[in-house]
mmCIF file of all heavy atoms in Angstrom:
data_model
loop_
_atom_site.group_PDB
_atom_site.id
_atom_site.type_symbol
_atom_site.label_atom_id
_atom_site.label_comp_id
_atom_site.label_asym_id
_atom_site.label_seq_id
_atom_site.Cartn_x
_atom_site.Cartn_y
_atom_site.Cartn_z
ATOM 1 N N HIS A 22 131.855 112.993 124.004
ATOM 2 C CA HIS A 22 130.597 112.308 123.992
ATOM 3 C C HIS A 22 130.729 111.097 125.005
ATOM 4 O O HIS A 22 130.915 109.996 124.608
ATOM 5 C CB HIS A 22 130.322 111.744 122.566
ATOM 6 C CG HIS A 22 128.894 111.348 122.415
ATOM 7 N ND1 HIS A 22 127.802 112.074 122.583
ATOM 8 C CD2 HIS A 22 128.414 110.137 121.983
ATOM 9 C CE1 HIS A 22 126.669 111.471 122.310
ATOM 10 N NE2 HIS A 22 127.034 110.222 121.968
ATOM 11 N N LEU A 23 130.542 111.443 126.248
ATOM 12 C CA LEU A 23 130.835 110.404 127.266
ATOM 13 C C LEU A 23 129.632 110.325 128.265
ATOM 14 O O LEU A 23 128.947 111.316 128.518
ATOM 15 C CB LEU A 23 132.137 110.674 128.048
ATOM 16 C CG LEU A 23 132.414 112.074 128.570
ATOM 17 C CD1 LEU A 23 131.717 112.243 129.962
ATOM 18 C CD2 LEU A 23 133.889 112.340 128.701
ATOM 19 N N PHE A 24 129.457 109.146 128.883
ATOM 20 C CA PHE A 24 128.342 108.912 129.785
ATOM 21 C C PHE A 24 128.878 108.040 130.963
ATOM 22 O O PHE A 24 129.571 107.101 130.751
ATOM 23 C CB PHE A 24 127.227 108.196 129.108
ATOM 24 C CG PHE A 24 126.688 108.991 127.944
ATOM 25 C CD1 PHE A 24 127.180 108.695 126.588
ATOM 26 C CD2 PHE A 24 125.767 109.937 128.059
ATOM 27 C CE1 PHE A 24 126.730 109.379 125.552
ATOM 28 C CE2 PHE A 24 125.313 110.662 127.013
ATOM 29 C CZ PHE A 24 125.748 110.360 125.722
ATOM 30 N N THR A 25 128.571 108.473 132.125
ATOM 31 C CA THR A 25 129.218 107.872 133.344
ATOM 32 C C THR A 25 129.117 106.345 133.443
ATOM 33 O O THR A 25 130.046 105.632 133.684
ATOM 34 C CB THR A 25 128.588 108.503 134.607
ATOM 35 O OG1 THR A 25 128.716 109.871 134.576
ATOM 36 C CG2 THR A 25 129.252 107.959 135.886
ATOM 37 N N THR A 26 127.865 105.820 133.181
ATOM 38 C CA THR A 26 127.634 104.402 133.316
ATOM 39 C C THR A 26 127.831 103.540 132.061
ATOM 40 O O THR A 26 127.697 102.389 132.032
ATOM 41 C CB THR A 26 126.259 104.125 133.849
ATOM 42 O OG1 THR A 26 125.249 104.683 133.013
ATOM 43 C CG2 THR A 26 126.107 104.794 135.274
ATOM 44 N N ALA A 27 128.180 104.253 130.918
ATOM 45 C CA ALA A 27 128.298 103.525 129.627
ATOM 46 C C ALA A 27 129.472 102.597 129.618
ATOM 47 O O ALA A 27 130.625 103.007 130.139
ATOM 48 C CB ALA A 27 128.433 104.551 128.523
ATOM 49 N N GLY A 28 129.281 101.413 129.128
ATOM 50 C CA GLY A 28 130.414 100.426 129.014
ATOM 51 C C GLY A 28 130.855 99.939 130.431
ATOM 52 O O GLY A 28 132.003 99.464 130.595
ATOM 53 N N ASN A 29 129.943 99.910 131.391
ATOM 54 C CA ASN A 29 130.309 99.482 132.713
ATOM 55 C C ASN A 29 130.593 97.926 132.668
ATOM 56 O O ASN A 29 130.167 97.230 131.779
ATOM 57 C CB ASN A 29 129.207 99.771 133.773
ATOM 58 C CG ASN A 29 127.908 99.013 133.517
ATOM 59 O OD1 ASN A 29 127.810 97.850 133.830
ATOM 60 N ND2 ASN A 29 126.940 99.715 132.991
ATOM 61 N N SER A 30 131.243 97.458 133.710
ATOM 62 C CA SER A 30 131.737 96.078 133.753
ATOM 63 C C SER A 30 130.627 95.038 133.617
ATOM 64 O O SER A 30 130.750 94.037 132.948
ATOM 65 C CB SER A 30 132.573 95.815 134.912
ATOM 66 O OG SER A 30 131.895 96.088 136.132
ATOM 67 N N VAL A 31 129.447 95.274 134.272
ATOM 68 C CA VAL A 31 128.396 94.280 134.182
ATOM 69 C C VAL A 31 127.837 94.204 132.840
ATOM 70 O O VAL A 31 127.608 93.089 132.323
ATOM 71 C CB VAL A 31 127.286 94.700 135.232
ATOM 72 C CG1 VAL A 31 126.108 93.733 135.119
ATOM 73 C CG2 VAL A 31 127.787 94.610 136.662
ATOM 74 N N ALA A 32 127.565 95.336 132.189
ATOM 75 C CA ALA A 32 127.010 95.321 130.818
ATOM 76 C C ALA A 32 128.028 94.634 129.880
ATOM 77 O O ALA A 32 127.618 93.892 128.955
ATOM 78 C CB ALA A 32 126.636 96.749 130.354
ATOM 79 N N CYS A 33 129.303 94.943 130.013
ATOM 80 C CA CYS A 33 130.251 94.380 129.151
ATOM 81 C C CYS A 33 130.447 92.856 129.256
ATOM 82 O O CYS A 33 130.550 92.149 128.238
ATOM 83 C CB CYS A 33 131.684 95.050 129.384
ATOM 84 S SG CYS A 33 131.755 96.756 128.754
ATOM 85 N N VAL A 34 130.337 92.331 130.476
ATOM 86 C CA VAL A 34 130.377 90.920 130.681
ATOM 87 C C VAL A 34 129.240 90.267 130.066
ATOM 88 O O VAL A 34 129.266 89.178 129.476
ATOM 89 C CB VAL A 34 130.515 90.638 132.237
ATOM 90 C CG1 VAL A 34 130.079 89.228 132.482
ATOM 91 C CG2 VAL A 34 131.874 90.904 132.700
ATOM 92 N N SER A 35 127.992 90.888 130.216
ATOM 93 C CA SER A 35 126.820 90.352 129.642
ATOM 94 C C SER A 35 126.966 90.282 128.074
ATOM 95 O O SER A 35 126.532 89.333 127.473
ATOM 96 C CB SER A 35 125.600 91.220 130.059
ATOM 97 O OG SER A 35 124.393 90.685 129.506
ATOM 98 N N ALA A 36 127.557 91.367 127.517
ATOM 99 C CA ALA A 36 127.769 91.369 126.049
ATOM 100 C C ALA A 36 128.680 90.322 125.601
ATOM 101 O O ALA A 36 128.518 89.632 124.569
ATOM 102 C CB ALA A 36 128.251 92.767 125.669
ATOM 103 N N LEU A 37 129.784 90.177 126.268
ATOM 104 C CA LEU A 37 130.756 89.104 125.969
ATOM 105 C C LEU A 37 130.130 87.758 125.978
ATOM 106 O O LEU A 37 130.389 86.918 125.084
ATOM 107 C CB LEU A 37 131.968 89.160 126.913
ATOM 108 C CG LEU A 37 132.973 90.274 126.674
ATOM 109 C CD1 LEU A 37 133.820 90.491 127.911
ATOM 110 C CD2 LEU A 37 133.817 90.009 125.495
ATOM 111 N N GLU A 38 129.306 87.449 126.977
ATOM 112 C CA GLU A 38 128.638 86.148 127.018
ATOM 113 C C GLU A 38 127.645 85.994 125.911
ATOM 114 O O GLU A 38 127.447 84.926 125.356
ATOM 115 C CB GLU A 38 127.988 85.946 128.410
ATOM 116 C CG GLU A 38 127.609 84.530 128.776
ATOM 117 C CD GLU A 38 128.846 83.593 128.789
ATOM 118 O OE1 GLU A 38 129.922 84.007 129.205
ATOM 119 O OE2 GLU A 38 128.762 82.430 128.383
ATOM 120 N N THR A 39 126.911 87.089 125.594
ATOM 121 C CA THR A 39 125.942 87.043 124.552
ATOM 122 C C THR A 39 126.577 86.694 123.242
ATOM 123 O O THR A 39 126.045 85.829 122.432
ATOM 124 C CB THR A 39 125.232 88.429 124.424
ATOM 125 O OG1 THR A 39 124.497 88.697 125.603
ATOM 126 C CG2 THR A 39 124.373 88.498 123.221
ATOM 127 N N ILE A 40 127.744 87.305 122.949
ATOM 128 C CA ILE A 40 128.453 86.995 121.638
ATOM 129 C C ILE A 40 128.905 85.565 121.627
ATOM 130 O O ILE A 40 128.754 84.889 120.623
ATOM 131 C CB ILE A 40 129.600 87.960 121.459
ATOM 132 C CG1 ILE A 40 129.096 89.403 121.236
ATOM 133 C CG2 ILE A 40 130.481 87.549 120.329
ATOM 134 C CD1 ILE A 40 130.179 90.443 121.404
ATOM 135 N N LYS A 41 129.423 85.037 122.737
ATOM 136 C CA LYS A 41 129.799 83.652 122.795
ATOM 137 C C LYS A 41 128.630 82.742 122.583
ATOM 138 O O LYS A 41 128.739 81.765 121.858
ATOM 139 C CB LYS A 41 130.389 83.339 124.222
ATOM 140 C CG LYS A 41 131.787 83.956 124.443
ATOM 141 C CD LYS A 41 132.239 83.590 125.893
ATOM 142 C CE LYS A 41 133.592 84.262 126.192
ATOM 143 N NZ LYS A 41 133.947 83.958 127.603
ATOM 144 N N ILE A 42 127.469 83.044 123.134
ATOM 145 C CA ILE A 42 126.321 82.178 122.954
ATOM 146 C C ILE A 42 125.870 82.169 121.493
ATOM 147 O O ILE A 42 125.573 81.137 120.930
ATOM 148 C CB ILE A 42 125.108 82.697 123.852
ATOM 149 C CG1 ILE A 42 125.484 82.382 125.306
ATOM 150 C CG2 ILE A 42 123.796 81.997 123.456
ATOM 151 C CD1 ILE A 42 124.587 83.115 126.306
ATOM 152 N N ILE A 43 125.808 83.300 120.894
ATOM 153 C CA ILE A 43 125.485 83.388 119.483
ATOM 154 C C ILE A 43 126.404 82.543 118.590
ATOM 155 O O ILE A 43 125.870 81.817 117.709
ATOM 156 C CB ILE A 43 125.508 84.875 118.937
ATOM 157 C CG1 ILE A 43 124.363 85.676 119.636
ATOM 158 C CG2 ILE A 43 125.342 84.959 117.435
ATOM 159 C CD1 ILE A 43 124.427 87.184 119.373
ATOM 160 N N LYS A 44 127.612 82.575 118.899
ATOM 161 C CA LYS A 44 128.592 81.754 118.058
ATOM 162 C C LYS A 44 128.580 80.282 118.502
ATOM 163 O O LYS A 44 128.544 79.431 117.623
ATOM 164 C CB LYS A 44 130.038 82.323 118.228
ATOM 165 C CG LYS A 44 130.167 83.713 117.596
ATOM 166 C CD LYS A 44 131.629 84.136 117.468
ATOM 167 C CE LYS A 44 132.198 84.532 118.827
ATOM 168 N NZ LYS A 44 133.608 85.107 118.686
ATOM 169 N N GLU A 45 128.616 80.026 119.775
ATOM 170 C CA GLU A 45 128.720 78.613 120.195
ATOM 171 C C GLU A 45 127.485 77.791 120.111
ATOM 172 O O GLU A 45 127.573 76.589 119.986
ATOM 173 C CB GLU A 45 129.294 78.642 121.679
ATOM 174 C CG GLU A 45 130.689 79.189 121.817
ATOM 175 C CD GLU A 45 131.112 79.354 123.242
ATOM 176 O OE1 GLU A 45 130.371 78.878 124.164
ATOM 177 O OE2 GLU A 45 132.190 79.886 123.460
ATOM 178 N N GLU A 46 126.300 78.417 120.211
ATOM 179 C CA GLU A 46 125.057 77.693 120.129
ATOM 180 C C GLU A 46 124.434 77.709 118.757
ATOM 181 O O GLU A 46 123.298 77.263 118.599
ATOM 182 C CB GLU A 46 124.073 78.232 121.154
ATOM 183 C CG GLU A 46 124.637 78.045 122.628
ATOM 184 C CD GLU A 46 123.560 78.373 123.729
ATOM 185 O OE1 GLU A 46 122.424 78.744 123.361
ATOM 186 O OE2 GLU A 46 123.911 78.297 124.823
ATOM 187 N N GLY A 47 125.217 78.207 117.789
ATOM 188 C CA GLY A 47 124.694 78.166 116.405
ATOM 189 C C GLY A 47 123.497 78.990 116.126
ATOM 190 O O GLY A 47 122.700 78.598 115.255
ATOM 191 N N LEU A 48 123.371 80.161 116.739
ATOM 192 C CA LEU A 48 122.167 80.931 116.577
ATOM 193 C C LEU A 48 122.101 81.622 115.249
ATOM 194 O O LEU A 48 121.026 81.876 114.763
ATOM 195 C CB LEU A 48 122.052 81.978 117.734
ATOM 196 C CG LEU A 48 121.944 81.385 119.138
ATOM 197 C CD1 LEU A 48 121.579 82.511 120.122
ATOM 198 C CD2 LEU A 48 120.897 80.257 119.216
ATOM 199 N N MET A 49 123.195 81.967 114.644
ATOM 200 C CA MET A 49 123.187 82.439 113.253
ATOM 201 C C MET A 49 122.649 81.448 112.242
ATOM 202 O O MET A 49 121.851 81.774 111.369
ATOM 203 C CB MET A 49 124.581 82.976 112.827
ATOM 204 C CG MET A 49 125.004 84.259 113.534
ATOM 205 S SD MET A 49 126.637 84.876 112.992
ATOM 206 C CE MET A 49 127.700 83.815 113.977
ATOM 207 N N GLU A 50 123.147 80.225 112.407
ATOM 208 C CA GLU A 50 122.610 79.177 111.582
ATOM 209 C C GLU A 50 121.153 78.952 111.797
ATOM 210 O O GLU A 50 120.360 78.690 110.817
ATOM 211 C CB GLU A 50 123.404 77.837 111.815
ATOM 212 C CG GLU A 50 124.927 77.934 111.432
ATOM 213 C CD GLU A 50 125.747 78.646 112.461
ATOM 214 O OE1 GLU A 50 125.245 79.072 113.535
ATOM 215 O OE2 GLU A 50 126.969 78.824 112.197
ATOM 216 N N ASN A 51 120.719 78.916 113.067
ATOM 217 C CA ASN A 51 119.287 78.765 113.401
ATOM 218 C C ASN A 51 118.466 79.845 112.771
ATOM 219 O O ASN A 51 117.375 79.628 112.241
ATOM 220 C CB ASN A 51 119.130 78.739 114.876
ATOM 221 C CG ASN A 51 117.735 78.178 115.255
ATOM 222 O OD1 ASN A 51 117.343 77.094 114.935
ATOM 223 N ND2 ASN A 51 116.992 79.042 115.973
ATOM 224 N N ALA A 52 118.967 81.080 112.835
ATOM 225 C CA ALA A 52 118.285 82.195 112.267
ATOM 226 C C ALA A 52 118.058 82.014 110.753
ATOM 227 O O ALA A 52 116.982 82.340 110.197
ATOM 228 C CB ALA A 52 119.056 83.542 112.479
ATOM 229 N N LYS A 53 118.978 81.462 110.078
ATOM 230 C CA LYS A 53 118.894 81.203 108.602
ATOM 231 C C LYS A 53 117.851 80.066 108.382
ATOM 232 O O LYS A 53 116.966 80.221 107.542
ATOM 233 C CB LYS A 53 120.194 80.886 108.007
ATOM 234 C CG LYS A 53 120.126 80.826 106.438
ATOM 235 C CD LYS A 53 121.482 80.607 105.881
ATOM 236 C CE LYS A 53 121.472 80.672 104.292
ATOM 237 N NZ LYS A 53 120.256 79.988 103.753
ATOM 238 N N VAL A 54 117.986 79.012 109.109
ATOM 239 C CA VAL A 54 117.116 77.837 108.860
ATOM 240 C C VAL A 54 115.639 78.176 109.177
ATOM 241 O O VAL A 54 114.751 77.982 108.362
ATOM 242 C CB VAL A 54 117.536 76.591 109.706
ATOM 243 C CG1 VAL A 54 116.473 75.526 109.604
ATOM 244 C CG2 VAL A 54 118.862 76.086 109.182
ATOM 245 N N ILE A 55 115.364 78.700 110.369
ATOM 246 C CA ILE A 55 114.033 79.031 110.737
ATOM 247 C C ILE A 55 113.503 80.257 109.896
ATOM 248 O O ILE A 55 112.330 80.257 109.449
ATOM 249 C CB ILE A 55 113.960 79.429 112.228
ATOM 250 C CG1 ILE A 55 114.462 78.254 113.083
ATOM 251 C CG2 ILE A 55 112.507 79.775 112.628
ATOM 252 C CD1 ILE A 55 113.630 77.029 113.079
ATOM 253 N N GLY A 56 114.374 81.188 109.582
ATOM 254 C CA GLY A 56 114.017 82.290 108.762
ATOM 255 C C GLY A 56 113.573 81.852 107.359
ATOM 256 O O GLY A 56 112.610 82.319 106.804
ATOM 257 N N ASP A 57 114.301 80.843 106.743
ATOM 258 C CA ASP A 57 113.899 80.364 105.430
ATOM 259 C C ASP A 57 112.582 79.662 105.508
ATOM 260 O O ASP A 57 111.699 79.813 104.619
ATOM 261 C CB ASP A 57 114.982 79.331 104.957
ATOM 262 C CG ASP A 57 116.217 80.021 104.507
ATOM 263 O OD1 ASP A 57 116.239 81.251 104.341
ATOM 264 O OD2 ASP A 57 117.240 79.349 104.283
ATOM 265 N N PHE A 58 112.314 78.927 106.581
ATOM 266 C CA PHE A 58 110.994 78.295 106.774
ATOM 267 C C PHE A 58 109.879 79.283 106.855
ATOM 268 O O PHE A 58 108.866 79.187 106.192
ATOM 269 C CB PHE A 58 111.004 77.359 108.016
ATOM 270 C CG PHE A 58 109.644 77.005 108.489
ATOM 271 C CD1 PHE A 58 108.977 75.953 107.809
ATOM 272 C CD2 PHE A 58 108.931 77.675 109.457
ATOM 273 C CE1 PHE A 58 107.720 75.555 108.219
ATOM 274 C CE2 PHE A 58 107.711 77.325 109.843
ATOM 275 C CZ PHE A 58 107.034 76.263 109.197
ATOM 276 N N LEU A 59 110.111 80.302 107.686
ATOM 277 C CA LEU A 59 109.118 81.349 107.808
ATOM 278 C C LEU A 59 108.848 82.160 106.507
ATOM 279 O O LEU A 59 107.730 82.386 106.133
ATOM 280 C CB LEU A 59 109.511 82.370 108.886
ATOM 281 C CG LEU A 59 109.397 81.802 110.357
ATOM 282 C CD1 LEU A 59 110.117 82.801 111.278
ATOM 283 C CD2 LEU A 59 107.982 81.481 110.747
ATOM 284 N N MET A 60 109.917 82.409 105.796
ATOM 285 C CA MET A 60 109.786 83.134 104.492
ATOM 286 C C MET A 60 108.915 82.311 103.529
ATOM 287 O O MET A 60 108.009 82.836 102.899
ATOM 288 C CB MET A 60 111.140 83.424 103.902
ATOM 289 C CG MET A 60 111.139 84.087 102.522
ATOM 290 S SD MET A 60 110.438 85.737 102.636
ATOM 291 C CE MET A 60 111.884 86.649 103.197
ATOM 292 N N ASP A 61 109.170 81.020 103.422
ATOM 293 C CA ASP A 61 108.396 80.117 102.536
ATOM 294 C C ASP A 61 106.992 80.114 103.000
ATOM 295 O O ASP A 61 106.033 80.149 102.156
ATOM 296 C CB ASP A 61 109.019 78.717 102.572
ATOM 297 C CG ASP A 61 110.319 78.668 101.823
ATOM 298 O OD1 ASP A 61 110.618 79.598 101.030
ATOM 299 O OD2 ASP A 61 111.044 77.695 102.022
ATOM 300 N N ALA A 62 106.748 79.953 104.328
ATOM 301 C CA ALA A 62 105.362 79.938 104.829
ATOM 302 C C ALA A 62 104.602 81.238 104.606
ATOM 303 O O ALA A 62 103.446 81.260 104.273
ATOM 304 C CB ALA A 62 105.373 79.621 106.309
ATOM 305 N N PHE A 63 105.297 82.348 104.765
ATOM 306 C CA PHE A 63 104.636 83.638 104.573
ATOM 307 C C PHE A 63 104.289 83.829 103.087
ATOM 308 O O PHE A 63 103.312 84.506 102.700
ATOM 309 C CB PHE A 63 105.526 84.789 105.118
ATOM 310 C CG PHE A 63 105.675 84.850 106.585
ATOM 311 C CD1 PHE A 63 106.734 85.431 107.155
ATOM 312 C CD2 PHE A 63 104.760 84.158 107.396
ATOM 313 C CE1 PHE A 63 106.877 85.502 108.591
ATOM 314 C CE2 PHE A 63 104.884 84.150 108.777
ATOM 315 C CZ PHE A 63 105.946 84.886 109.344
ATOM 316 N N LYS A 64 105.177 83.358 102.188
ATOM 317 C CA LYS A 64 104.905 83.488 100.789
ATOM 318 C C LYS A 64 103.680 82.665 100.362
ATOM 319 O O LYS A 64 102.915 83.056 99.515
ATOM 320 C CB LYS A 64 106.111 83.014 99.966
ATOM 321 C CG LYS A 64 107.214 84.090 99.957
ATOM 322 C CD LYS A 64 108.441 83.596 99.094
ATOM 323 C CE LYS A 64 109.548 84.654 99.152
ATOM 324 N NZ LYS A 64 110.761 84.199 98.384
ATOM 325 N N LYS A 65 103.467 81.529 101.082
ATOM 326 C CA LYS A 65 102.265 80.712 100.794
ATOM 327 C C LYS A 65 101.011 81.482 101.335
ATOM 328 O O LYS A 65 99.992 81.432 100.651
ATOM 329 C CB LYS A 65 102.434 79.373 101.580
ATOM 330 C CG LYS A 65 103.397 78.441 100.861
ATOM 331 C CD LYS A 65 103.532 77.154 101.709
ATOM 332 C CE LYS A 65 104.626 76.220 101.127
ATOM 333 N NZ LYS A 65 104.882 75.060 101.884
ATOM 334 N N LEU A 66 101.161 82.206 102.436
ATOM 335 C CA LEU A 66 100.033 82.971 102.900
ATOM 336 C C LEU A 66 99.758 84.120 101.827
ATOM 337 O O LEU A 66 98.609 84.512 101.635
ATOM 338 C CB LEU A 66 100.335 83.627 104.231
ATOM 339 C CG LEU A 66 100.379 82.692 105.484
ATOM 340 C CD1 LEU A 66 100.692 83.477 106.738
ATOM 341 C CD2 LEU A 66 99.073 81.918 105.609
ATOM 342 N N LYS A 67 100.780 84.665 101.260
ATOM 343 C CA LYS A 67 100.615 85.711 100.335
ATOM 344 C C LYS A 67 99.794 85.244 99.081
ATOM 345 O O LYS A 67 98.941 85.973 98.542
ATOM 346 C CB LYS A 67 101.977 86.280 99.789
ATOM 347 C CG LYS A 67 101.965 87.338 98.809
ATOM 348 C CD LYS A 67 103.295 87.860 98.384
ATOM 349 C CE LYS A 67 103.267 88.962 97.359
ATOM 350 N NZ LYS A 67 102.618 88.570 96.148
ATOM 351 N N SER A 68 100.069 84.012 98.660
ATOM 352 C CA SER A 68 99.312 83.455 97.571
ATOM 353 C C SER A 68 97.818 83.201 97.936
ATOM 354 O O SER A 68 96.992 83.102 97.018
ATOM 355 C CB SER A 68 99.968 82.168 97.099
ATOM 356 O OG SER A 68 99.849 81.144 98.058
ATOM 357 N N LYS A 69 97.539 83.110 99.195
ATOM 358 C CA LYS A 69 96.195 82.890 99.644
ATOM 359 C C LYS A 69 95.381 84.123 99.963
ATOM 360 O O LYS A 69 94.096 84.112 99.813
ATOM 361 C CB LYS A 69 96.238 81.957 100.887
ATOM 362 C CG LYS A 69 94.950 81.492 101.444
ATOM 363 C CD LYS A 69 95.118 80.541 102.605
ATOM 364 C CE LYS A 69 93.807 80.056 103.185
ATOM 365 N NZ LYS A 69 94.000 79.068 104.343
#
């Protein structure tokens, strides 16, 4: 199950930097904080 251009160096470098950004810029924490806000706001819409 192989593909000529799969896992090429440009894509892999982009992935490595993406993972670093997610960890170093606190994006998981931001997802939780903003997600909790949105969940609460959407539940208020549900009541309306």
Side-chain angles (χ1 to χ4, degrees):
H22 194 59
L23 52 82
F24 304 93
T25 304
T26 58
N29 68 76
S30 54
V31 174
C33 287
V34 161
S35 184
L37 284 163
E38 196 63 34
T39 295
I40 293 168
K41 288 179 184 177
I42 291 167
I43 290 171
K44 292 193 287 188
E45 294 172 5
E46 296 188 3
L48 297 192
M49 286 182 280
E50 293 80 3
N51 191 60
K53 187 176 188 313
V54 171
I55 303 294
D57 287 347
F58 165 79
L59 288 170
M60 178 66 80
D61 290 343
F63 293 159
K64 285 180 178 178
K65 290 176 182 176
L66 290 183
K67 180 178 182 296
S68 67
K69 183 175 180 179

